[in-house]
Amino acid sequence: MKYHPALGLSKAAFERIQDEFDRRYFEGMEYWTLPDHRKNIEKGTVLVADTVVRGFPKVPRTLVLEEGIPRYFAGEFAVEEKMNGYNVRISRIDGDIYAFTRSGIVCPFTTWKVRTDLELDPFFEEYPGTMLCGEMVGPENPYTPHEYAEIDSLAFRAFDLRDRETGDSLPVTDRRAILEEFEIPQVPFFGLLTPSEAVDEVPDIIDDLDEDGREGIVMKTPQVTQQLKYTTSAANRGNLAFAFSLPFDYGQDFMFRRIIREAFQSIEWNESREEARERAQALGEAILLSMRDTIQDVQGGEIIGERHAVRGEDAAIEALLEHFRSVGLKVEIESDEWIDGDRRVAFVKKTQATQDKTDAYLDGMIVRE
């Protein structure tokens, strides 16, 4: 198969980057994935069985809705919820359904989950050259656990439907109608708004999502040629609490970007000094208390890392744990039990830098600044 035409490259240009694709295997299937973005080729793009599965593009962000929306959108656009989970692309290749993570790796657990929970063959019979793009969300999540009242374990929510080779999206209203017909769950939809309507209505949507501890929104033109995202204060604080619970494993850029978002939102929301002080207090608690808890845990001999729980059939969970080990993650099992015929495993992905440095500072290591 000559992949270069599908990628929009000359043969010589493809040969120059071909060695940058990583070779991987899943269920006897050989595939290649691009670990980093290259010009006109998205990170996570997959080459498999004479097929190109495009990576999902990054979505830009605005920090100020009142100015960002009319600057970015000239006409009507759709508003959908941005849910807190991990990005997957689902496609059927040679008759089998696979779930690719953002980096282009087939996740064995996610693949098992979507094969089990979703009836996708009728959809792919009618739309064979597509990829379902969505978020895996819920508390029993191997990558990004987050509580949603309507989800008790792990579930898929679609937010896009794309041609897997070109990456072109189906229009929002068409996609929502088609996926509803096939009973494929989607992210919540807040409607179509003009920029002038959105400047008044979107802050109220954000306030409601914030109150419920949800992540935010993605705004997109009807043809999905442009997208823009915005997150809630609750999401920013949650991200910071997580990052500062593992302060030596997450970079300063990650933390600083989220503090910046809070500052701009405080100004746009026209907060009083007292309201801004309440925001600052909540932000400070997210930062300091999570780090303090980690230091205490290290003092108490606890394992430090990202805590997750997953539930499903035995073979799928074993495949997930082996997958983690194969990519170099150190996983410690904290509990392993059977509930209503399903195996449920709680585990920690160890984060060694925070563990080691916290131990060293507690032991009196000198800090040179």
Side-chain angles (χ1 to χ4, degrees):
M1 166 69 176
K2 295 180 179 179
Y3 289 107
H4 63 275
L7 294 172
L9 300 175
S10 67
K11 183 178 180 181
F14 176 69
E15 288 175 350
R16 284 195 294 270
I17 67 165
Q18 188 171 2
D19 290 342
E20 297 181 33
F21 282 80
D22 294 334
R23 179 183 292 182
R24 297 186 178 276
Y25 297 89
F26 179 75
E27 294 181 345
M29 177 185 74
E30 183 180 55
Y31 67 102
W32 291 262
T33 180
L34 188 65
D36 295 301
H37 174 84
R38 291 293 177 268
K39 185 178 181 180
N40 299 324
I41 308 177
E42 300 84 358
K43 174 182 176 179
T45 293
V46 177
L47 311 179
V48 54
D50 296 342
T51 299
V52 171
V53 180
R54 284 276 183 174
F56 194 83
K58 285 188 174 182
V59 177
R61 177 187 306 277
T62 183
L63 298 182
V64 180
L65 292 166
E66 186 175 4
E67 301 297 333
I69 288 174
R71 182 171 181 171
Y72 202 73
F73 297 108
E76 193 175 56
F77 61 91
V79 183
E80 294 184 304
E81 183 172 354
K82 183 182 190 302
M83 300 188 76
N84 191 351
Y86 61 99
N87 181 300
V88 297
R89 288 159 290 140
I90 303 170
S91 197
R92 191 170 73 167
I93 299 165
D94 287 347
D96 291 318
I97 290 168
Y98 301 95
F100 299 92
T101 63
R102 189 81 188 235
S103 61
I105 297 173
V106 179
C107 173
F109 185 76
T110 312
T111 296
W112 166 80
K113 187 69 175 173
V114 299
R115 287 174 177 176
T116 302
D117 288 0
L118 303 174
E119 183 53 62
L120 295 178
D121 282 321
F123 167 78
F124 283 117
E125 285 293 330
E126 192 159 340
Y127 300 94
T130 63
M131 58 182 181
L132 272 171
C133 305
E135 204 82 358
M136 297 298 297
V137 293
E140 293 180 325
N141 189 314
Y143 302 99
T144 311
H146 186 80
E147 295 287 340
Y148 283 99
E150 68 273 26
I151 299 169
D152 65 358
S153 180
L154 181 66
F156 175 75
R157 295 291 184 267
F159 54 66
D160 208 340
L161 176 57
R162 293 179 169 239
D163 183 291
R164 68 187 181 197
E165 184 174 295
T166 66
D168 294 338
S169 293
L170 206 66
V172 174
T173 52
D174 292 348
R175 180 254 298 168
R176 294 200 69 90
I178 289 168
L179 297 192
E180 184 175 340
E181 176 188 348
F182 285 94
E183 299 183 344
I184 297 171
Q186 303 179 70
V187 297
F189 178 58
F190 298 111
L192 293 166
L193 300 173
T194 65
S196 59
E197 291 171 338
V199 167
D200 292 330
E201 295 183 31
V202 167
D204 291 335
I205 295 171
I206 293 295
D207 281 340
D208 289 342
L209 292 171
D210 189 46
E211 188 174 336
D212 290 339
R214 298 172 84 102
E215 186 174 16
I217 60 170
V218 177
M219 299 164 277
K220 54 191 75 173
T221 54
Q223 304 298 321
V224 201
T225 53
Q226 290 178 285
Q227 298 190 76
L228 193 65
K229 63 186 176 184
Y230 188 88
T231 47
T232 64
S233 181
N236 295 333
R237 292 195 308 272
N239 289 162
L240 286 167
F242 170 73
F244 277 94
S245 72
L246 304 168
F248 301 109
D249 289 276
Y250 284 86
Q252 292 180 2
D253 286 348
F254 175 94
M255 302 171 188
F256 184 68
R257 288 196 299 268
R258 284 152 180 83
I259 296 172
I260 286 289
R261 293 173 200 168
E262 286 293 284
F264 276 91
Q265 189 177 92
S266 178
I267 294 298
E268 183 170 19
W269 261 228
N270 197 29
E271 291 178 342
S272 67
R273 193 71 178 178
E274 184 57 36
E275 289 170 328
R277 184 173 287 110
E278 290 175 4
R279 181 187 291 267
Q281 181 177 335
L283 191 63
E285 288 180 355
I287 291 170
L288 182 61
L289 295 185
S290 60
M291 191 185 299
R292 184 178 182 274
D293 289 344
T294 293
I295 296 169
Q296 285 186 322
D297 287 344
V298 173
Q299 278 184 319
E302 295 286 329
I303 297 171
I304 302 303
E306 301 177 28
R307 282 178 160 76
H308 303 267
V310 291
R311 177 161 35 122
E313 69 176 28
D314 185 39
I317 290 178
E318 281 299 323
L320 174 67
L321 296 174
E322 180 54 37
H323 168 67
F324 286 151
R325 296 182 186 110
S326 72
V327 296
L329 292 175
K330 295 181 179 179
V331 175
E332 182 86 11
I333 305 297
E334 292 195 310
S335 68
D336 194 342
E337 57 188 339
W338 289 87
I339 302 175
D340 297 329
D342 287 331
R343 185 182 175 191
R344 187 181 189 277
V345 175
F347 59 91
V348 183
K349 296 175 187 171
K350 293 183 181 180
T351 50
Q352 209 60 44
T354 292
Q355 183 91 46
D356 293 345
K357 285 196 174 183
T358 305
D359 261 328
Y361 289 142
L362 287 169
D363 287 343
M365 185 178 77
I366 301 290
V367 179
R368 300 191 183 279
E369 298 176 333

